[in-house]
Amino acid sequence: MMIVPSLSTLASTYLFFLSLISLCLAGSPSPLPGPSLQDSVCLRIAHSISPASEVFYPGESLYEKGIFHWASSSTQQSKCVVEAGTPSDVGIILVILGQTRTPFAVKSGGHATNPGFSSTSDIHISLYRFSEVNYNSTSNTADVGTGLIWDDVYAALESFGVNVLGGRVSGIGVGGFLLGGGYSWMTNQYGLAIDNVVAFELVQPNGKTVIVTNSSDPELFFGLKGGMNNFGIVTKFTLKTHPQSLVWGGSILNLESTLSDVEAATIAFQAAVTDPKAGLIMTYNYVPSIQQILINQLMFYDGPTPPAGIFDTLLAIPATSSDVSTRSMLSLVRASPSNGTDGARAVFQGYPIASLTSSISAVIVNETRFWGTALANKSAVTVSYAMELFLPSIYSHNPDNTAFPPSRNLFFQPFDLEFDVDFHAAARASSAHIREAAIGEGQSELVDAPIYPNYAISGTPLADMYGGNVPALQALKRRIDPQNVMGLAGGWKF
Ligand SMILES: Cc1cc2nc3c(=O)[nH]c(=O)nc-3n(C[C@H](O)[C@H](O)[C@H](O)COP(=O)(O)OP(=O)(O)OC[C@H]3O[C@@H](n4cnc5c(N)ncnc54)[C@H](O)[C@@H]3O)c2cc1C
Ligand SMILES: *[C@@H]1O[C@H](CO)[C@@H](O)[C@H](O)[C@H]1NC(C)=O
Ligand SMILES: *[C@@H]1O[C@H](CO)[C@@H](O)[C@H](O)[C@H]1NC(C)=O
Ligand SMILES: *[C@@H]1O[C@H](CO)[C@@H](O)[C@H](O)[C@H]1NC(C)=O
Ligand SMILES: *[C@@H]1O[C@H](CO)[C@@H](O)[C@H](O)[C@H]1NC(C)=O
Ligand SMILES: *[C@@H]1O[C@H](CO)[C@@H](O)[C@H](O)[C@H]1NC(C)=O
């Protein structure tokens, strides 16, 4: 996760730099088609859906919103945008796409950093209209529409004093996050976000809507928990809720001069902190314009004040900007500067790490500096390494198997790096280098550790994410989608 400073002179240089990137690299829109050029499949969909759904063409503002992605490199100009409004319309659309064998995309929040995963040059389905949040205080669950971003879900649940497991920064979509796994600020307490899904409202590739639960279809329930868009389009999730008070935390920015103190404090945090309410993401960002590593810390405590001793060492390090306070969950995720890179070109790659030791920390610092300087002159690149620290018990909160992770006995933390999308090979090489270094120093279990599908760079083999679950997921895919309709959409394909 790329982090942008919000204060200080250095930070403004950096922001200026980033806006230059966006100006230079933003794609130019394609010419507007006249009505006669409107695609026949777009027209057929427009004539078949109910008034709850609509089709938009280039030049219309809801077309632009429909194809928008967090990373500009993930946005493509489609022939039209279909804003689906009901599950039955989604079914009608899927049947037309299947019959005409038309490539398409499904987008929720548009945070995919692999080009083509939620974008297309053909038919683009946007899910924004699935935007309801309904809390049921009897069952302690909330129904959450798949077109929302987590900010809106947190806002809707705030007045009930409850929350669900969602994104840790602003703007992430409900859909992709939940179908891939979902590492939340509450993961230390309650597991992955998918461990807290009670039911999926799924429009199957045959156009029929089903409610998938552990008892209705255990295999499909397993497959949807990590299996992304292989089994149809999810329109609603029923999620377990948990009590939510005010939280504590926010974002801190440190200069490279503090790096050794930050490294030591981060390693000490991981070694000592066992309180499941505490969370920390440490990100090293190489900033070419100032030729140094800027450090961003995201801190979290699930309560108004953290107990003494948890964050004190980190807080004592001189910061160039700091926005840490007691606040609502919504305020906390919105404090993160990750939105500042909206529109940048970016690709993620995950690198599982069991334990952040001082030697692995040194390797990560070296990678940040090495690739930051090596790529600096090639384009205005983003080079960023995030260390997402979690407790070893995070996969123990769910007794059932899920598509991801393939094993619940193997602990790994989903560290990730972010490069400019042009540097795929470098991103792969760097992640492989760090993993090999960790295995080399004795973290031998990492040989089998999966890469989180929501962070994995395109081209990653299925087995590297889903391990021994691949055959079961492929068999399930053949049962649910015998015509391979979902194969017409991008993403990880079983
Ligand atoms: C700034 C940033 C911060 C992030 N932070 C976190 C984090 O804290 N924790 C974490 O776990 N991950 C995080 N991620 C990764 C994030 O979970 C994935 O990018 C996720 O896929 C985004 O979901 P989305 O709906 O926004 O993306 P989209 O691009 O809309 O979709 C991603 C994929 O899911 C499919 N999909 C989406 N909705 C549906 C649906 N309803 N039915 C079927 N298929 C669907 C799409 O077709 C696509 O293949 C972060 C990513 C970014 C860019
Ligand atoms: C809330 O949950 C209870 C218990 O599962 C159920 O009986 C009730 O119908 C639900 N209410 C609504 C409005 O769905
Ligand atoms: C982040 O971006 C999303 C999507 O554009 C937007 O809805 C959200 O309000 C933004 N958050 C902040 C804090 O600006
Ligand atoms: C799911 O069903 C299986 C049996 O099919 C059962 O063992 C398991 O406990 C169930 N899980 C949940 C969360 O209900
Ligand atoms: C730094 O990283 C680069 C790229 O992985 C590697 O070639 C180099 O040997 C590393 N340097 C040190 C001192 O580890
Ligand atoms: C980048 O360009 C600057 C000026 O053009 C040059 O001084 C520097 O050596 C270059 N750095 C790399 C890593 O190529």
Side-chain angles (χ1 to χ4, degrees):
M1 129 182 2
M2 178 61 197
I3 302 303
V4 180
S6 50
L7 300 171
S8 91
T9 324
L10 284 171
S12 3
T13 318
Y14 185 24
L15 280 176
F16 173 64
F17 196 73
L18 284 167
S19 50
L20 271 185
I21 308 173
S22 324
L23 276 178
C24 299
L25 302 175
S28 47
S30 45
L32 305 187
S36 60
L37 295 178
Q38 282 173 1
D39 181 76
S40 63
V41 179
C42 295
L43 287 172
R44 187 167 157 198
I45 289 172
H47 290 142
S48 309
I49 50 182
S50 80
S53 306
E54 257 177 291
V55 176
F56 300 102
Y57 293 94
E60 298 186 73
S61 68
L62 288 176
Y63 171 91
E64 300 301 334
K65 181 188 178 192
I67 61 168
F68 175 83
H69 283 76
W70 176 79
S72 63
S73 41
S74 294
T75 298
Q76 268 180 284
Q77 302 289 312
S78 62
K79 289 179 176 150
C80 58
V81 164
V82 185
E83 267 203 22
T86 63
S88 63
D89 280 349
V90 172
I92 289 167
I93 296 161
L94 279 181
V95 168
I96 293 173
L97 294 170
Q99 281 171 356
T100 55
R101 302 307 296 171
T102 307
F104 68 99
V106 183
K107 195 198 84 173
S108 169
H111 268 46
T113 50
N114 285 319
F117 271 43
S118 53
S119 66
T120 177
S121 54
D122 284 278
I123 310 295
H124 183 100
I125 303 173
S126 246
L127 299 169
Y128 288 118
R129 293 187 187 203
F130 295 96
S131 59
E132 284 196 22
V133 180
N134 287 306
Y135 171 53
N136 184 331
S137 59
T138 310
S139 54
N140 291 315
T141 60
D143 286 347
V144 173
T146 195
L148 290 163
I149 61 172
W150 289 106
D151 309 41
D152 299 329
V153 179
Y154 299 154
L157 293 175
E158 209 168 282
S159 60
F160 300 108
V162 298
N163 213 346
V164 292
L165 276 75
R168 287 173 293 180
V169 302
S170 180
I172 305 169
V174 163
F177 177 95
L178 273 181
L179 288 168
Y183 289 89
S184 148
W185 287 122
M186 311 298 197
T187 287
N188 281 335
Q189 295 177 79
Y190 310 115
L192 295 175
I194 45 171
D195 299 337
N196 292 269
V197 179
V198 177
F200 299 86
E201 183 181 81
L202 174 73
V203 184
Q204 293 184 315
N206 64 9
K208 297 210 167 60
T209 303
V210 291
I211 305 294
V212 182
T213 65
N214 190 38
S215 46
S216 79
D217 190 336
E219 284 171 13
L220 189 49
F221 192 65
F222 152 87
L224 286 167
K225 294 189 169 191
M228 303 301 302
N229 65 12
N230 282 277
F231 307 112
I233 297 181
V234 174
T235 44
K236 189 164 74 185
F237 299 86
T238 304
L239 306 176
K240 283 184 200 163
T241 57
H242 302 281
Q244 182 71 71
S245 65
L246 288 176
V247 302
W248 174 96
S251 170
I252 293 181
L253 186 74
N254 310 89
L255 299 180
E256 184 168 332
S257 53
T258 66
L259 186 58
S260 55
D261 290 344
V262 168
E263 279 190 84
T266 308
I267 293 158
F269 177 97
Q270 177 174 269
V273 176
T274 55
D275 185 337
K277 294 181 173 178
L280 179 66
I281 303 176
M282 190 63 70
T283 307
Y284 300 155
N285 311 287
Y286 186 81
V287 184
S289 57
I290 53 170
Q291 298 186 357
Q292 69 164 294
I293 294 172
L294 285 186
I295 303 153
N296 183 260
Q297 313 184 37
L298 291 182
M299 294 176 173
F300 174 79
Y301 193 80
D302 190 11
T305 320
I310 294 186
F311 294 103
D312 304 51
T313 315
L314 286 165
L315 289 169
I317 299 169
T320 182
S321 79
S322 174
D323 170 19
V324 171
S325 65
T326 300
R327 62 210 313 171
S328 67
M329 187 65 147
L330 174 63
S331 161
L332 180 112
V333 298
R334 294 181 71 87
S336 150
S338 65
N339 256 33
T341 39
D342 251 352
R345 292 157 51 84
V347 70
F348 281 19
Q349 164 69 325
Y351 56 102
I353 289 293
S355 176
L356 183 67
T357 59
S358 57
S359 51
I360 291 308
S361 180
V363 171
I364 293 170
V365 167
N366 174 59
E367 290 291 305
T368 310
R369 196 174 284 117
F370 178 88
W371 290 108
T373 51
L375 302 182
N377 284 11
K378 306 249 170 87
S379 72
V381 284
T382 303
V383 174
S384 165
Y385 289 74
M387 288 147 276
E388 310 183 15
L389 302 180
F390 286 103
L391 294 177
S393 55
I394 54 173
Y395 305 116
S396 69
H397 296 272
N398 186 352
D400 301 332
N401 292 328
T402 49
F404 176 85
S407 163
R408 293 214 164 234
N409 300 321
L410 193 162
F411 173 64
F412 62 93
Q413 306 178 88
F415 288 13
D416 82 285
L417 58 79
E418 184 190 335
F419 275 28
D420 181 284
V421 71
D422 280 348
F423 301 104
H424 262 238
R428 281 170 193 283
S430 184
S431 60
H433 182 80
I434 301 170
R435 190 200 289 233
E436 277 154 25
I439 293 167
E441 73 160 36
Q443 299 187 32
S444 54
E445 69 271 34
L446 292 179
V447 172
D448 296 319
I451 300 179
Y452 176 34
N454 266 332
Y455 290 165
I457 196 166
S458 57
T460 302
L462 290 180
D464 290 1
M465 297 173 281
Y466 298 101
N469 283 343
V470 172
L473 290 165
Q474 286 172 334
L476 179 64
K477 195 257 165 5
R478 285 192 293 274
R479 167 161 77 85
I480 303 295
D481 188 14
Q483 308 296 323
N484 195 22
V485 175
M486 295 313 295
L488 296 163
W492 306 120
K493 295 292 129 182
F494 302 138

